[in-house]
């Protein structure tokens, strides 16, 4: 089954404790992206990647890091999480070769930083 | 900053009625437009995309695009309670990035 997976789905952590949210897709997509979704603010892009070793900042990159060492994986790293990073996070992927370039979303990770 | 504006709602319609969801965008050069549906606590899923001016129909859904007015809409005919969700308008900026509106919450009343 074609899908985007994220782990963990739920995470409660404390300020300053480094964490990584994993994202993996099995569709051989070149493009991958991380979003956060907050009430009243909608979906905002954090980082995106056009392909292996190619990443760039989205609209709200502060406090986040990413890496793209393999095509299928695009982890999101919070080196020193703060309470304002409490949010619902989505990973998405899409093909860059023709078609609609529809973005497929993972199930989401709900993060709480105390 | 490229912006996508939607009325946050909630929009309430009776079962069987037509629901009309609207979206405006700021970047006149935008070429591709998407409507995603998001149930509470779930991830967004694509329901319609449109590239050309005019209407595009898919089952009970019709997307309408007017590039001159920078306006895109989604009509849902014969609305069902299962259509109750938040609808996100998204505009492709650059090569593959999407800018999302904040979403319109739709409630279909049985």
């Amino acid at each position: 089954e074609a899908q985007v997976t994220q782990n963990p789905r739920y995470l409660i952590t404390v300020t300053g404790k480094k964490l990584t949210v994993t994202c993996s897709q099995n569709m051989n997509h070149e493009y991958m992206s991380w979003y956060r979704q907050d009430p009243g603010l909608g979906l905002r892009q954090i980082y995106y990647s056009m392909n292996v070793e190619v990443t760039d900042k989205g609209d709200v990159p502060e406090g986040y890091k990413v890496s793209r060492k393999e095509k299928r994986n695009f982890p999101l790293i919070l080196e020193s999480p703060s309470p304002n990073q409490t949010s619902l996070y989505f990973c998405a992927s899409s093909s860059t070769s023709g078609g609609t370039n529809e973005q497929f979303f993972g199930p989401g990770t709900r993060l709480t930083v105390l | 900053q490229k912006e996508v504006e939607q009325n946050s709602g909630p929009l309430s319609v009776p079962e069987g009625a037509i629901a009309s969801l609207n979206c405006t965008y700021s970047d006149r050069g935008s070429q591709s437009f998407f409507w995603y549906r998001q149930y509470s606590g779930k991830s967004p899923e694509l329901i319609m995309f449109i590239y050309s001016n005019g209407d595009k129909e898919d089952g009970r859904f019709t997307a309408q695009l007017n590039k001159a007015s920078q306006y895109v809409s989604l009509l849902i005919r014969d609305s069902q309670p299962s259509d109750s969700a938040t609808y996100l308008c998204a505009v492709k900026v650059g090569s593959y990035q999407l800018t999302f509106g904040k979403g319109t919450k739709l409630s279909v009343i049985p």
Side-chain angles (χ1 to χ4, degrees), chain B residues 21-108:
Chain B
L21 305 162
N22 304 315
C23 173
T24 59
Y25 58 94
S26 64
D27 183 6
R28 188 169 286 278
S30 300
Q31 294 295 320
S32 304
F33 308 87
F34 302 82
W35 283 100
Y36 282 80
R37 177 177 62 199
Q38 186 177 25
Y39 293 113
S40 181
K42 302 296 185 182
S43 56
E45 57 177 333
L46 182 71
I47 53 172
M48 290 286 290
F49 64 90
I50 187 167
Y51 301 146
S52 304
N53 274 330
D55 295 0
K56 179 182 179 183
E57 187 173 318
D58 184 0
R60 296 186 295 112
F61 298 96
T62 298
Q64 300 175 316
L65 175 61
N66 183 327
K67 290 185 179 180
S69 300
Q70 296 176 238
Y71 176 92
V72 58
S73 65
L74 179 70
L75 301 178
I76 307 174
R77 290 183 299 281
D78 188 24
S79 296
Q80 301 296 308
S82 59
D83 295 326
S84 297
T86 296
Y87 289 80
L88 306 175
C89 173
V91 176
K92 186 183 283 189
V93 297
S95 299
Y96 305 104
Q97 292 172 265
L98 295 181
T99 295
F100 286 84
K102 295 178 182 178
T104 298
K105 186 172 182 179
L106 172 67
S107 292
V108 180

Side-chain angles (χ1 to χ4, degrees), chain A residues 42-66:
Chain A
L43 271 169
R44 294 179 293 167
Q45 189 177 50
I46 303 171
Y47 269 95
Y48 66 96
S49 170
M50 295 294 293
N51 215 322
V52 175
E53 303 291 1
V54 181
T55 63
D56 209 346
K57 297 177 180 178
D59 297 318
V60 288
E62 294 77 20
Y64 304 94
K65 286 177 58 177
V66 293

Side-chain angles (χ1 to χ4, degrees), chain A residues 19-69:
Chain A
L19 67 92
T20 299
V21 184
T22 64
C23 172
S24 183
Q25 50 91 9
N26 63 1
M27 295 170 278
N28 201 36
H29 285 166
E30 296 82 8
Y31 182 89
M32 297 185 75
S33 180
W34 275 103
Y35 298 91
R36 61 177 289 174
Q37 187 173 39
D38 303 287
L41 296 177
L43 271 169
R44 294 179 293 167
Q45 189 177 50
I46 303 171
Y47 269 95
Y48 66 96
S49 170
M50 295 294 293
N51 215 322
V52 175
E53 303 291 1
V54 181
T55 63
D56 209 346
K57 297 177 180 178
D59 297 318
V60 288
E62 294 77 20
Y64 304 94
K65 286 177 58 177
V66 293
S67 68
R68 187 93 181 270
K69 293 182 170 54

